[in-house]
Amino acid sequence: MVTGFPSPAQGYEQNIIDLNQALIRHPSATVFMRIDNSHYRNMGIYDGDLLIIDRAKKINSNSLVVYESEGHFVLGRVFNIKTNGQTDVIITGAVTHVIHTVKET
Protein backbone atom coordinates (compact mmCIF):
# COMPACT_ATOMS: atom_id res chain seq x y z
CA MET A 1 0.00 0.00 0.00
CA VAL A 2 1.40 3.41 -1.00
CA THR A 3 0.50 6.45 1.04
CA GLY A 4 1.28 10.15 0.79
CA PHE A 5 2.25 12.15 -2.25
CA PRO A 6 4.79 11.05 -4.86
CA SER A 7 8.14 12.79 -4.96
CA PRO A 8 8.41 15.55 -7.60
CA ALA A 9 11.78 14.00 -8.55
CA GLN A 10 10.28 10.57 -9.14
CA GLY A 11 11.46 9.24 -12.49
CA TYR A 12 14.49 11.54 -12.65
CA GLU A 13 16.75 9.64 -10.25
CA GLN A 14 19.10 8.43 -12.99
CA ASN A 15 19.28 11.70 -14.95
CA ILE A 16 22.41 13.18 -13.41
CA ILE A 17 24.69 15.73 -15.01
CA ASP A 18 28.39 14.96 -14.86
CA LEU A 19 30.05 18.40 -14.84
CA ASN A 20 33.41 16.91 -15.77
CA GLN A 21 31.91 15.38 -18.89
CA ALA A 22 29.86 18.49 -19.71
CA LEU A 23 32.56 21.13 -19.17
CA ILE A 24 35.97 19.51 -19.64
CA ARG A 25 37.09 18.44 -23.09
CA HIS A 26 40.79 17.71 -22.31
CA PRO A 27 40.96 16.46 -18.66
CA SER A 28 44.74 16.08 -18.50
CA ALA A 29 45.24 19.61 -19.88
CA THR A 30 42.58 21.37 -17.80
CA VAL A 31 43.23 23.57 -14.78
CA PHE A 32 41.00 25.70 -12.57
CA MET A 33 41.61 29.25 -11.42
CA ARG A 34 39.66 31.29 -8.88
CA ILE A 35 39.44 35.05 -9.41
CA ASP A 36 40.25 37.04 -6.27
CA ASN A 37 39.71 40.59 -7.49
CA SER A 38 37.22 42.63 -9.47
CA HIS A 39 39.48 43.74 -12.34
CA TYR A 40 37.54 41.73 -14.93
CA ARG A 41 33.99 42.97 -14.36
CA ASN A 42 33.94 44.43 -17.89
CA MET A 43 34.35 40.81 -19.12
CA GLY A 44 31.51 39.57 -16.89
CA ILE A 45 33.99 37.88 -14.53
CA TYR A 46 33.70 38.74 -10.85
CA ASP A 47 35.56 38.27 -7.58
CA GLY A 48 35.13 34.64 -6.50
CA ASP A 49 34.35 33.24 -9.98
CA LEU A 50 35.94 29.95 -10.98
CA LEU A 51 37.55 29.67 -14.42
CA ILE A 52 38.05 26.45 -16.34
CA ILE A 53 41.19 26.76 -18.45
CA ASP A 54 42.02 24.34 -21.25
CA ARG A 55 45.74 24.27 -22.09
CA ALA A 56 45.15 22.08 -25.16
CA LYS A 57 42.46 24.18 -26.83
CA LYS A 58 43.36 25.85 -30.11
CA ILE A 59 43.76 29.59 -29.56
CA ASN A 60 42.75 32.30 -32.02
CA SER A 61 43.04 36.10 -31.85
CA ASN A 62 39.69 36.47 -30.07
CA SER A 63 40.29 33.74 -27.45
CA LEU A 64 40.03 34.71 -23.80
CA VAL A 65 43.28 33.44 -22.33
CA VAL A 66 45.31 33.40 -19.15
CA TYR A 67 48.86 34.62 -19.68
CA GLU A 68 51.81 35.47 -17.51
CA SER A 69 52.87 39.09 -17.22
CA GLU A 70 55.49 40.36 -14.78
CA GLY A 71 55.11 37.28 -12.59
CA HIS A 72 51.31 37.47 -12.41
CA PHE A 73 48.55 35.63 -14.23
CA VAL A 74 46.37 37.96 -16.28
CA LEU A 75 43.18 37.49 -18.33
CA GLY A 76 42.82 38.99 -21.76
CA ARG A 77 41.87 38.50 -25.38
CA VAL A 78 44.84 37.47 -27.51
CA PHE A 79 44.52 40.52 -29.77
CA ASN A 80 44.67 42.76 -26.70
CA ILE A 81 47.66 41.30 -24.84
CA LYS A 82 50.05 43.98 -23.68
CA THR A 83 53.65 42.81 -23.65
CA ASN A 84 55.14 45.75 -21.68
CA GLY A 85 58.39 45.38 -23.60
CA GLN A 86 58.64 41.61 -22.99
CA THR A 87 59.71 39.62 -26.00
CA ASP A 88 57.93 36.44 -24.91
CA VAL A 89 54.44 36.21 -23.45
CA ILE A 90 53.55 32.83 -22.00
CA ILE A 91 49.92 31.91 -22.61
CA THR A 92 48.80 29.36 -20.03
CA GLY A 93 45.59 28.35 -21.78
CA ALA A 94 42.18 29.36 -23.05
CA VAL A 95 39.28 30.06 -20.71
CA THR A 96 36.47 27.72 -21.71
CA HIS A 97 33.98 28.33 -18.89
CA VAL A 98 33.35 30.79 -16.09
CA ILE A 99 31.43 29.47 -13.09
CA HIS A 100 29.77 32.40 -11.38
CA THR A 101 28.17 32.24 -7.96
CA VAL A 102 25.02 34.29 -7.68
CA LYS A 103 25.25 36.42 -4.58
CA GLU A 104 22.20 37.12 -2.51
CA THR A 105 21.55 40.77 -1.69
XYZ file of all heavy atoms in Angstrom:
825
model
N 0.837 -1.168 0.000
C 0.000 0.000 0.000
C 0.894 1.249 0.000
O 1.825 1.352 0.776
C -0.900 0.006 1.231
C -1.668 1.299 1.343
S -2.522 1.508 2.889
C -3.991 0.599 2.571
N 0.652 2.170 -0.895
C 1.400 3.411 -0.999
C 0.564 4.530 -0.393
O -0.616 4.658 -0.675
C 1.727 3.733 -2.474
C 2.441 5.044 -2.597
C 2.523 2.599 -3.084
N 1.208 5.318 0.439
C 0.496 6.452 1.044
C 1.264 7.740 0.794
O 2.442 7.716 0.467
C 0.353 6.266 2.567
O 1.654 6.185 3.133
C -0.441 5.007 2.889
N 0.604 8.859 0.959
C 1.276 10.146 0.789
C 1.324 10.570 -0.663
O 0.691 9.985 -1.536
N 2.115 11.590 -0.909
C 2.250 12.147 -2.254
C 3.541 11.653 -2.887
O 4.544 11.460 -2.211
C 2.276 13.677 -2.188
C 1.002 14.263 -1.682
C 0.897 14.677 -0.361
C -0.098 14.397 -2.519
C -0.280 15.223 0.116
C -1.276 14.942 -2.051
C -1.370 15.356 -0.723
N 3.542 11.468 -4.205
C 4.786 11.053 -4.864
C 5.815 12.178 -4.853
O 5.467 13.351 -4.798
C 4.341 10.735 -6.291
C 3.098 11.525 -6.498
C 2.434 11.627 -5.141
N 7.067 11.808 -4.923
C 8.144 12.791 -4.963
C 8.133 13.508 -6.304
O 7.972 12.868 -7.351
C 9.491 12.092 -4.764
O 10.543 12.957 -5.086
N 8.322 14.838 -6.321
C 8.406 15.554 -7.604
C 9.585 15.084 -8.450
O 9.600 15.274 -9.655
C 8.601 17.013 -7.200
C 8.277 17.099 -5.765
C 8.408 15.736 -5.187
N 10.597 14.471 -7.817
C 11.779 14.000 -8.548
C 11.621 12.563 -9.032
O 12.521 12.028 -9.652
C 13.003 14.102 -7.652
N 10.492 11.963 -8.752
C 10.285 10.567 -9.137
C 10.419 10.425 -10.658
O 9.849 11.171 -11.428
C 8.903 10.103 -8.684
C 8.693 8.619 -8.836
C 7.379 8.174 -8.204
O 6.614 8.979 -7.689
N 7.128 6.897 -8.242
N 11.223 9.474 -11.073
C 11.460 9.239 -12.491
C 12.707 9.934 -13.021
O 13.125 9.700 -14.140
N 13.296 10.806 -12.216
C 14.489 11.540 -12.645
C 15.729 11.123 -11.868
O 16.758 11.754 -11.967
C 14.285 13.047 -12.482
C 13.207 13.588 -13.381
C 11.917 13.778 -12.907
C 13.480 13.897 -14.706
C 10.927 14.275 -13.733
C 12.495 14.393 -15.536
C 11.215 14.578 -15.046
O 10.246 15.066 -15.870
N 15.646 10.047 -11.112
C 16.747 9.636 -10.250
C 18.022 9.331 -11.027
O 19.120 9.587 -10.554
C 16.379 8.401 -9.408
C 15.241 8.621 -8.442
C 13.865 8.360 -9.047
O 13.790 8.032 -10.257
O 12.873 8.491 -8.329
N 17.936 8.824 -12.222
C 19.101 8.427 -12.994
C 19.606 9.518 -13.942
O 20.628 9.359 -14.585
C 18.798 7.152 -13.792
C 18.461 5.965 -12.917
C 19.577 5.636 -11.941
O 20.736 5.638 -12.301
N 19.221 5.364 -10.692
N 18.889 10.620 -14.048
C 19.282 11.698 -14.954
C 20.196 12.682 -14.229
O 19.782 13.762 -13.847
C 18.048 12.426 -15.486
C 17.195 11.540 -16.361
O 17.651 10.507 -16.810
N 15.971 11.943 -16.601
N 21.470 12.310 -14.075
C 22.411 13.183 -13.408
C 23.321 13.841 -14.449
O 23.564 13.295 -15.523
C 23.253 12.422 -12.361
C 23.971 11.236 -12.993
C 22.398 11.985 -11.197
C 24.900 10.512 -12.048
N 23.785 15.010 -14.119
C 24.692 15.729 -15.008
C 26.098 15.598 -14.442
O 26.360 15.963 -13.301
C 24.314 17.215 -15.108
C 22.928 17.355 -15.723
C 25.348 17.980 -15.929
C 22.406 18.781 -15.703
N 26.992 15.073 -15.238
C 28.394 14.963 -14.859
C 29.095 16.224 -15.363
O 29.296 16.401 -16.563
C 29.007 13.712 -15.486
C 30.471 13.526 -15.141
O 31.069 14.446 -14.532
O 31.017 12.470 -15.481
N 29.432 17.127 -14.435
C 30.047 18.400 -14.845
C 31.401 18.200 -15.503
O 31.776 18.967 -16.387
C 30.164 19.333 -13.642
C 28.836 19.834 -13.087
C 29.070 20.716 -11.870
C 28.040 20.574 -14.143
N 32.136 17.186 -15.103
C 33.413 16.905 -15.772
C 33.187 16.582 -17.235
O 33.897 17.080 -18.112
C 34.142 15.752 -15.085
C 34.698 16.154 -13.746
O 35.297 17.201 -13.608
N 34.471 15.323 -12.745
N 32.195 15.766 -17.504
C 31.907 15.383 -18.888
C 31.327 16.566 -19.678
O 31.640 16.755 -20.840
C 30.935 14.211 -18.917
C 30.671 13.669 -20.292
C 29.746 12.478 -20.254
O 29.115 12.180 -19.250
N 29.655 11.784 -21.366
N 30.515 17.383 -19.028
C 29.860 18.494 -19.711
C 30.787 19.677 -19.971
O 30.634 20.371 -20.976
C 28.650 18.957 -18.893
N 31.769 19.907 -19.080
C 32.559 21.132 -19.169
C 34.023 20.939 -19.540
O 34.690 21.906 -19.905
C 32.499 21.884 -17.830
C 31.111 22.296 -17.342
C 31.205 22.956 -15.979
C 30.429 23.204 -18.348
N 34.537 19.718 -19.428
C 35.968 19.511 -19.635
C 36.202 18.619 -20.846
O 35.832 17.456 -20.847
C 36.623 18.920 -18.367
C 36.442 19.904 -17.213
C 38.093 18.607 -18.617
C 36.897 19.387 -15.879
N 36.825 19.183 -21.855
C 37.093 18.437 -23.086
C 38.430 17.699 -23.027
O 38.571 16.611 -23.551
C 37.078 19.399 -24.261
C 37.324 18.701 -25.587
C 37.091 19.619 -26.710
N 35.681 19.477 -27.070
C 35.123 20.085 -28.087
N 35.818 20.909 -28.817
N 33.869 19.883 -28.377
N 39.446 18.299 -22.409
C 40.789 17.711 -22.308
C 41.174 17.611 -20.821
O 41.881 18.496 -20.318
C 41.817 18.558 -23.059
C 41.479 18.786 -24.494
N 41.031 20.008 -24.978
C 41.514 17.951 -25.551
C 40.813 19.899 -26.275
N 41.100 18.669 -26.653
N 40.739 16.556 -20.125
C 40.955 16.464 -18.664
C 42.411 16.619 -18.231
O 42.683 17.322 -17.254
C 40.428 15.077 -18.307
C 39.484 14.729 -19.395
C 40.001 15.408 -20.633
N 43.339 16.015 -18.935
C 44.737 16.082 -18.498
C 45.369 17.453 -18.764
O 46.443 17.749 -18.261
C 45.560 14.979 -19.160
O 45.569 15.157 -20.562
N 44.702 18.291 -19.561
C 45.237 19.610 -19.881
C 44.367 20.734 -19.316
O 44.487 21.878 -19.728
C 45.341 19.761 -21.400
N 43.509 20.393 -18.362
C 42.582 21.375 -17.802
C 42.989 21.757 -16.393
O 43.339 20.897 -15.586
C 41.144 20.819 -17.808
O 40.765 20.577 -19.161
C 40.168 21.802 -17.184
N 42.949 23.063 -16.119
C 43.230 23.572 -14.782
C 42.104 24.530 -14.394
O 41.359 25.020 -15.246
C 44.596 24.289 -14.696
C 45.739 23.319 -14.925
C 44.678 25.440 -15.669
N 42.005 24.785 -13.105
C 40.998 25.696 -12.573
C 41.702 26.892 -11.948
O 42.797 26.774 -11.423
C 40.145 24.997 -11.512
C 39.346 23.861 -12.059
C 39.881 22.586 -12.133
C 38.049 24.056 -12.493
C 39.152 21.531 -12.632
C 37.304 23.006 -13.006
C 37.855 21.737 -13.075
N 41.041 28.031 -11.996
C 41.614 29.246 -11.416
C 40.474 30.045 -10.792
O 39.448 30.264 -11.428
C 42.293 30.066 -12.515
C 42.872 31.369 -12.082
S 43.700 32.126 -13.527
C 43.762 33.808 -13.003
N 40.662 30.458 -9.541
C 39.661 31.294 -8.878
C 40.104 32.753 -8.960
O 41.256 33.084 -8.720
C 39.476 30.887 -7.429
C 38.370 31.720 -6.784
C 37.756 31.151 -5.553
N 37.363 29.787 -5.555
C 36.180 29.314 -5.933
N 35.267 30.127 -6.421
N 35.904 28.031 -5.830
N 39.178 33.620 -9.307
C 39.439 35.051 -9.407
C 39.297 35.663 -8.013
O 38.300 35.438 -7.334
C 38.457 35.722 -10.394
C 38.626 35.145 -11.797
C 38.629 37.234 -10.399
C 39.992 35.365 -12.408
N 40.305 36.444 -7.608
C 40.251 37.039 -6.274
C 40.323 38.565 -6.322
O 40.850 39.207 -5.430
C 41.339 36.459 -5.371
C 42.747 36.780 -5.861
O 42.887 37.406 -6.921
O 43.707 36.408 -5.167
N 39.794 39.129 -7.391
C 39.709 40.589 -7.490
C 38.576 40.944 -8.446
O 37.949 40.062 -9.022
C 41.041 41.193 -7.952
C 41.467 40.689 -9.303
O 40.728 40.790 -10.263
N 42.670 40.134 -9.386
N 38.322 42.211 -8.604
C 37.218 42.629 -9.474
C 37.706 43.370 -10.719
O 36.981 44.176 -11.285
C 36.236 43.497 -8.679
O 36.908 44.609 -8.126
N 38.922 43.068 -11.165
C 39.484 43.743 -12.338
C 38.813 43.347 -13.656
O 39.019 44.016 -14.665
C 40.985 43.442 -12.458
C 41.790 44.037 -11.362
N 42.353 43.274 -10.365
C 42.114 45.320 -11.083
C 43.000 44.060 -9.534
N 42.877 45.305 -9.943
N 38.056 42.258 -13.664
C 37.543 41.727 -14.925
C 36.027 41.857 -15.057
O 35.403 41.163 -15.839
C 37.974 40.263 -15.074
C 39.466 40.115 -14.972
C 40.057 39.560 -13.841
C 40.298 40.575 -15.985
C 41.438 39.452 -13.736
C 41.671 40.478 -15.881
C 42.233 39.912 -14.762
O 43.596 39.813 -14.666
N 35.444 42.774 -14.306
C 33.987 42.975 -14.356
C 33.522 43.316 -15.772
O 32.444 42.914 -16.177
C 33.559 44.074 -13.393
C 33.722 43.672 -11.977
C 33.272 44.763 -11.046
N 32.664 44.069 -9.930
C 31.711 44.553 -9.197
N 31.237 45.743 -9.431
N 31.212 43.835 -8.214
N 34.329 44.069 -16.525
C 33.944 44.427 -17.894
C 33.844 43.199 -18.796
O 33.251 43.258 -19.860
C 34.910 45.456 -18.485
C 36.335 44.945 -18.585
O 36.739 44.062 -17.815
N 37.103 45.492 -19.498
N 34.428 42.074 -18.375
C 34.346 40.813 -19.122
C 33.241 39.912 -18.562
O 33.062 38.795 -19.035
C 35.674 40.058 -19.040
C 36.827 40.732 -19.681
S 38.295 39.678 -19.489
C 39.578 40.812 -19.873
N 32.541 40.390 -17.523
C 31.509 39.569 -16.890
C 32.078 38.554 -15.919
O 31.429 37.581 -15.582
N 33.316 38.770 -15.468
C 33.995 37.875 -14.531
C 34.199 38.635 -13.233
O 34.752 39.738 -13.234
C 35.335 37.386 -15.112
C 35.086 36.628 -16.418
C 36.085 36.526 -14.105
C 36.340 36.286 -17.198
N 33.742 38.041 -12.124
C 33.703 38.741 -10.850
C 34.550 38.048 -9.789
O 34.913 36.880 -9.935
C 32.248 38.856 -10.369
C 31.380 39.607 -11.342
C 30.684 38.933 -12.346
C 31.282 40.982 -11.282
C 29.899 39.621 -13.250
C 30.496 41.681 -12.185
C 29.807 40.995 -13.167
O 29.042 41.689 -14.074
N 34.833 38.787 -8.735
C 35.559 38.268 -7.585
C 34.885 36.987 -7.095
O 33.676 36.956 -6.884
C 35.565 39.326 -6.476
C 36.396 38.922 -5.287
O 37.422 38.241 -5.469
O 36.030 39.303 -4.163
N 35.654 35.912 -6.966
C 35.130 34.636 -6.504
C 34.751 33.670 -7.614
O 34.488 32.496 -7.357
N 34.701 34.131 -8.865
C 34.355 33.244 -9.979
C 35.439 32.191 -10.181
O 36.613 32.418 -9.888
C 34.171 34.027 -11.274
C 32.859 34.792 -11.318
O 32.069 34.691 -10.367
O 32.635 35.508 -12.324
N 35.039 31.057 -10.695
C 35.943 29.952 -10.975
C 36.071 29.805 -12.488
O 35.066 29.711 -13.188
C 35.397 28.662 -10.363
C 36.248 27.422 -10.495
C 37.521 27.566 -9.681
C 35.467 26.206 -10.011
N 37.307 29.826 -12.983
C 37.549 29.672 -14.419
C 38.006 28.259 -14.720
O 38.781 27.680 -13.959
C 38.638 30.635 -14.885
C 38.463 32.120 -14.586
C 39.633 32.897 -15.170
C 37.160 32.626 -15.123
N 37.545 27.725 -15.830
C 38.049 26.452 -16.339
C 38.932 26.803 -17.529
O 38.490 27.461 -18.472
C 36.904 25.505 -16.749
C 36.021 25.204 -15.532
C 37.477 24.218 -17.340
C 34.806 24.351 -15.841
N 40.189 26.393 -17.451
C 41.191 26.760 -18.448
C 41.697 25.500 -19.132
O 42.171 24.581 -18.475
C 42.357 27.518 -17.783
C 41.802 28.757 -17.076
C 43.423 27.868 -18.798
C 42.713 29.304 -16.023
N 41.588 25.488 -20.446
C 42.024 24.336 -21.245
C 43.345 24.696 -21.923
O 43.403 25.602 -22.757
C 40.962 24.002 -22.288
C 41.228 22.717 -23.029
O 42.398 22.271 -23.074
O 40.273 22.145 -23.579
N 44.416 23.987 -21.533
C 45.740 24.268 -22.094
C 45.955 23.606 -23.448
O 46.956 23.858 -24.102
C 46.817 23.825 -21.107
C 46.723 24.613 -19.794
C 47.744 24.189 -18.808
N 47.557 22.773 -18.485
C 48.414 22.043 -17.800
N 49.535 22.580 -17.371
N 48.162 20.797 -17.534
N 45.007 22.766 -23.871
C 45.145 22.081 -25.159
C 44.232 22.667 -26.235
O 44.310 22.269 -27.394
C 44.831 20.596 -24.989
N 43.393 23.603 -25.872
C 42.456 24.180 -26.828
C 43.188 25.078 -27.820
O 44.090 25.824 -27.457
C 41.399 25.004 -26.087
C 40.328 25.552 -26.995
C 39.246 26.250 -26.196
C 38.089 26.527 -27.084
N 37.850 27.858 -27.403
N 42.778 24.998 -29.078
C 43.356 25.854 -30.106
C 42.973 27.298 -29.810
O 41.828 27.613 -29.518
C 42.842 25.439 -31.485
C 43.466 26.211 -32.601
C 42.984 25.730 -33.956
C 43.620 26.602 -35.028
N 43.124 26.293 -36.340
N 43.954 28.186 -29.893
C 43.757 29.591 -29.558
C 43.744 30.422 -30.829
O 44.578 30.236 -31.712
C 44.877 30.062 -28.604
C 44.758 29.324 -27.272
C 44.828 31.563 -28.400
C 45.902 29.572 -26.323
N 42.777 31.354 -30.904
C 42.753 32.298 -32.015
C 42.848 33.718 -31.461
O 42.946 33.908 -30.248
C 41.505 32.096 -32.893
C 40.224 32.355 -32.133
O 40.080 33.361 -31.439
N 39.261 31.435 -32.249
N 42.807 34.720 -32.301
C 43.039 36.099 -31.853
C 41.954 36.617 -30.918
O 42.183 37.558 -30.161
C 43.187 37.032 -33.050
O 41.977 37.080 -33.782
N 40.771 36.015 -30.934
C 39.686 36.471 -30.074
C 39.545 35.622 -28.812
O 38.674 35.896 -27.982
C 38.364 36.487 -30.850
C 37.334 37.348 -30.169
O 37.646 38.412 -29.649
N 36.105 36.885 -30.153
N 40.388 34.619 -28.631
C 40.290 33.741 -27.455
C 40.546 34.521 -26.175
O 41.429 35.378 -26.121
C 41.317 32.603 -27.546
O 41.038 31.746 -28.615
N 39.766 34.193 -25.142
C 40.027 34.715 -23.798
C 41.033 33.764 -23.171
O 40.779 32.564 -23.062
C 38.740 34.755 -22.973
C 38.880 35.259 -21.535
C 39.427 36.684 -21.498
C 37.528 35.177 -20.831
N 42.193 34.290 -22.815
C 43.278 33.442 -22.330
C 43.814 33.943 -20.993
O 43.595 35.086 -20.598
C 44.456 33.381 -23.344
C 44.019 32.740 -24.649
C 45.061 34.761 -23.580
N 44.529 33.044 -20.328
C 45.309 33.396 -19.149
C 46.762 33.413 -19.611
O 47.227 32.471 -20.242
C 45.122 32.364 -18.020
C 46.021 32.692 -16.838
C 43.668 32.293 -17.592
N 47.446 34.521 -19.316
C 48.856 34.619 -19.685
C 49.644 35.188 -18.523
O 49.078 35.777 -17.601
C 49.043 35.443 -20.960
C 48.646 36.901 -20.868
C 49.598 37.883 -20.613
C 47.329 37.290 -21.060
C 49.246 39.217 -20.545
C 46.963 38.622 -20.990
C 47.923 39.581 -20.733
O 47.573 40.905 -20.662
N 50.939 34.991 -18.580
C 51.811 35.468 -17.509
C 52.412 36.808 -17.911
O 52.949 36.967 -19.007
C 52.915 34.458 -17.233
C 53.691 34.768 -15.987
C 54.707 33.706 -15.646
O 54.617 32.586 -16.177
O 55.614 34.017 -14.847
N 52.299 37.768 -16.990
C 52.870 39.091 -17.223
C 53.466 39.596 -15.919
O 52.752 39.715 -14.917
C 51.782 40.055 -17.711
O 52.300 41.362 -17.831
N 54.763 39.846 -15.945
C 55.487 40.361 -14.779
C 55.253 39.513 -13.531
O 55.042 40.029 -12.432
C 55.099 41.820 -14.528
C 55.452 42.734 -15.677
C 55.005 44.163 -15.482
O 54.424 44.489 -14.437
O 55.256 44.966 -16.397
N 55.249 38.200 -13.713
C 55.110 37.283 -12.590
C 53.696 37.076 -12.097
O 53.477 36.411 -11.085
N 52.702 37.627 -12.798
C 51.306 37.474 -12.408
C 50.526 36.848 -13.551
O 50.858 37.043 -14.720
C 50.672 38.827 -12.076
C 51.286 39.484 -10.889
N 52.371 40.323 -10.988
C 50.973 39.417 -9.576
C 52.703 40.755 -9.793
N 51.873 40.221 -8.908
N 49.448 36.147 -13.205
C 48.547 35.632 -14.227
C 47.512 36.699 -14.533
O 46.946 37.315 -13.640
C 47.866 34.343 -13.763
C 48.807 33.189 -13.661
C 49.115 32.631 -12.437
C 49.403 32.660 -14.794
C 49.987 31.566 -12.331
C 50.285 31.594 -14.711
C 50.571 31.053 -13.479
N 47.267 36.907 -15.816
C 46.367 37.961 -16.283
C 45.400 37.365 -17.290
O 45.755 36.456 -18.040
C 47.177 39.104 -16.954
C 46.278 40.235 -17.392
C 48.268 39.610 -16.024
N 44.168 37.885 -17.330
C 43.181 37.487 -18.329
C 43.146 38.514 -19.440
O 43.254 39.715 -19.181
C 41.780 37.428 -17.717
C 41.490 36.372 -16.687
C 40.066 36.538 -16.170
C 41.678 35.005 -17.263
N 42.966 38.052 -20.662
C 42.819 38.987 -21.765
C 42.543 38.273 -23.070
O 42.759 37.066 -23.190
N 42.047 39.023 -24.011
C 41.874 38.503 -25.375
C 43.245 38.535 -26.042
O 44.040 39.453 -25.821
C 40.893 39.358 -26.164
C 39.507 39.404 -25.570
C 38.701 38.224 -25.992
N 37.396 38.264 -25.329
C 36.634 37.205 -25.193
N 37.020 36.041 -25.686
N 35.492 37.290 -24.579
N 43.525 37.563 -26.870
C 44.838 37.465 -27.509
C 45.174 38.748 -28.255
O 46.290 39.267 -28.130
C 44.903 36.238 -28.446
C 46.168 36.247 -29.276
C 44.801 34.950 -27.637
N 44.222 39.313 -28.989
C 44.515 40.515 -29.770
C 44.810 41.727 -28.890
O 45.319 42.729 -29.367
C 43.374 40.845 -30.741
C 42.090 41.281 -30.084
C 41.902 42.592 -29.683
C 41.064 40.365 -29.871
C 40.723 42.995 -29.084
C 39.882 40.751 -29.276
C 39.707 42.071 -28.876
N 44.530 41.628 -27.605
C 44.667 42.762 -26.698
C 45.804 42.596 -25.691
O 45.943 43.431 -24.803
C 43.349 42.910 -25.940
C 42.891 44.326 -25.860
O 43.415 45.184 -26.533
N 41.901 44.570 -25.033
N 46.601 41.549 -25.812
C 47.663 41.302 -24.835
C 48.713 42.392 -24.929
O 49.219 42.705 -26.000
C 48.311 39.911 -25.053
C 47.314 38.804 -24.709
C 49.580 39.765 -24.225
C 47.824 37.405 -24.957
N 49.012 42.952 -23.767
C 50.047 43.984 -23.681
C 51.331 43.328 -23.208
O 51.373 42.694 -22.164
C 49.599 45.074 -22.714
C 48.379 45.822 -23.215
C 47.937 46.881 -22.243
C 46.762 47.679 -22.715
N 45.671 46.978 -23.292
N 52.393 43.486 -23.977
C 53.647 42.813 -23.649
C 54.541 43.611 -22.719
O 55.468 43.058 -22.135
C 54.438 42.488 -24.936
O 54.719 43.705 -25.613
C 53.661 41.550 -25.830
N 54.310 44.909 -22.548
C 55.139 45.753 -21.677
C 56.631 45.582 -21.958
O 57.441 45.482 -21.045
C 54.844 45.474 -20.202
C 53.425 45.830 -19.837
O 52.817 46.700 -20.445
N 52.880 45.167 -18.849
N 56.995 45.502 -23.225
C 58.393 45.378 -23.604
C 58.951 43.969 -23.532
O 60.092 43.734 -23.898
N 58.163 43.000 -23.044
C 58.638 41.614 -22.989
C 58.659 41.049 -24.401
O 57.802 41.356 -25.216
C 57.711 40.745 -22.132
C 57.623 41.143 -20.686
C 56.611 40.270 -19.944
O 56.173 39.252 -20.431
N 56.256 40.694 -18.744
N 59.658 40.235 -24.674
C 59.714 39.619 -25.998
C 58.863 38.362 -26.060
O 58.331 38.030 -27.109
C 61.167 39.265 -26.371
O 61.718 38.444 -25.345
C 61.992 40.520 -26.538
N 58.727 37.658 -24.942
C 57.926 36.440 -24.910
C 56.792 36.579 -23.905
O 57.003 36.994 -22.771
C 58.775 35.228 -24.496
C 59.820 34.888 -25.532
O 59.543 35.092 -26.721
O 60.898 34.419 -25.145
N 55.591 36.268 -24.334
C 54.439 36.209 -23.450
C 54.026 34.750 -23.376
O 53.842 34.101 -24.401
C 53.270 37.071 -23.973
C 52.023 36.849 -23.146
C 53.663 38.529 -23.981
N 53.910 34.234 -22.174
C 53.550 32.834 -22.003
C 52.047 32.735 -21.779
O 51.530 33.209 -20.761
C 54.314 32.212 -20.819
C 55.814 32.294 -21.074
C 53.874 30.778 -20.592
C 56.663 31.931 -19.887
N 51.354 32.134 -22.742
C 49.920 31.909 -22.608
C 49.723 30.558 -21.937
O 50.210 29.538 -22.426
C 49.214 31.952 -23.975
C 49.316 33.360 -24.559
C 47.759 31.523 -23.845
C 48.719 33.522 -25.934
N 49.034 30.580 -20.799
C 48.803 29.359 -20.026
C 47.729 28.493 -20.670
O 47.846 27.282 -20.708
C 48.386 29.712 -18.584
O 49.408 30.530 -18.025
C 48.207 28.490 -17.737
N 46.666 29.103 -21.152
C 45.595 28.349 -21.783
C 44.392 29.227 -22.052
O 44.353 30.396 -21.677
N 43.396 28.643 -22.698
C 42.175 29.362 -23.055
C 41.103 29.120 -22.002
O 40.914 27.990 -21.545
C 41.673 28.897 -24.414
N 40.401 30.183 -21.645
C 39.282 30.064 -20.712
C 38.116 29.483 -21.495
O 37.701 30.037 -22.516
C 38.910 31.438 -20.110
C 37.685 31.318 -19.223
C 40.086 32.016 -19.345
N 37.598 28.353 -21.025
C 36.473 27.720 -21.709
C 35.152 27.950 -20.995
O 34.101 27.967 -21.624
C 36.705 26.205 -21.870
O 36.925 25.625 -20.586
C 37.891 25.931 -22.777
N 35.205 28.113 -19.667
C 33.978 28.330 -18.889
C 34.279 29.214 -17.690
O 35.376 29.156 -17.126
C 33.400 27.003 -18.383
C 33.017 26.074 -19.475
N 31.866 26.209 -20.222
C 33.630 24.979 -19.970
C 31.793 25.242 -21.117
N 32.870 24.490 -20.989
N 33.285 29.994 -17.310
C 33.345 30.792 -16.088
C 32.177 30.347 -15.227
O 31.024 30.402 -15.660
C 33.232 32.305 -16.380
C 33.235 33.103 -15.083
C 34.353 32.761 -17.300
N 32.487 29.884 -14.030
C 31.431 29.473 -13.090
C 31.248 30.618 -12.115
O 32.164 30.964 -11.364
C 31.795 28.156 -12.385
C 31.981 27.060 -13.437
C 30.716 27.795 -11.370
C 32.473 25.748 -12.882
N 30.078 31.206 -12.161
C 29.771 32.395 -11.375
C 28.770 32.059 -10.279
O 27.738 31.455 -10.558
C 29.206 33.478 -12.295
C 28.815 34.726 -11.602
N 29.744 35.646 -11.138
C 27.607 35.216 -11.272
C 29.095 36.626 -10.573
N 27.810 36.404 -10.631
N 29.091 32.441 -9.068
C 28.173 32.235 -7.956
C 27.271 33.443 -7.841
O 27.741 34.586 -7.786
C 28.957 32.052 -6.633
O 29.816 30.933 -6.775
C 28.012 31.832 -5.470
N 25.983 33.198 -7.826
C 25.019 34.286 -7.684
C 24.971 34.672 -6.216
O 24.719 33.849 -5.354
C 23.630 33.844 -8.176
C 22.611 34.955 -7.982
C 23.698 33.437 -9.652
N 25.238 35.935 -5.954
C 25.255 36.418 -4.582
C 23.885 36.949 -4.206
O 23.235 37.630 -4.982
C 26.309 37.510 -4.420
C 27.689 37.059 -4.862
C 28.752 37.722 -4.052
C 30.133 37.452 -4.545
N 30.693 36.235 -4.627
N 23.478 36.615 -3.001
C 22.198 37.124 -2.511
C 22.404 38.526 -1.952
O 23.425 38.823 -1.351
C 21.660 36.204 -1.430
C 21.283 34.842 -1.978
C 20.624 33.972 -0.936
O 19.971 34.513 -0.021
O 20.767 32.756 -1.049
N 21.430 39.395 -2.185
C 21.546 40.771 -1.685
C 20.753 40.955 -0.419
O 19.920 40.213 -0.053
C 21.047 41.784 -2.739
O 19.705 41.469 -3.095
C 21.952 41.757 -3.933
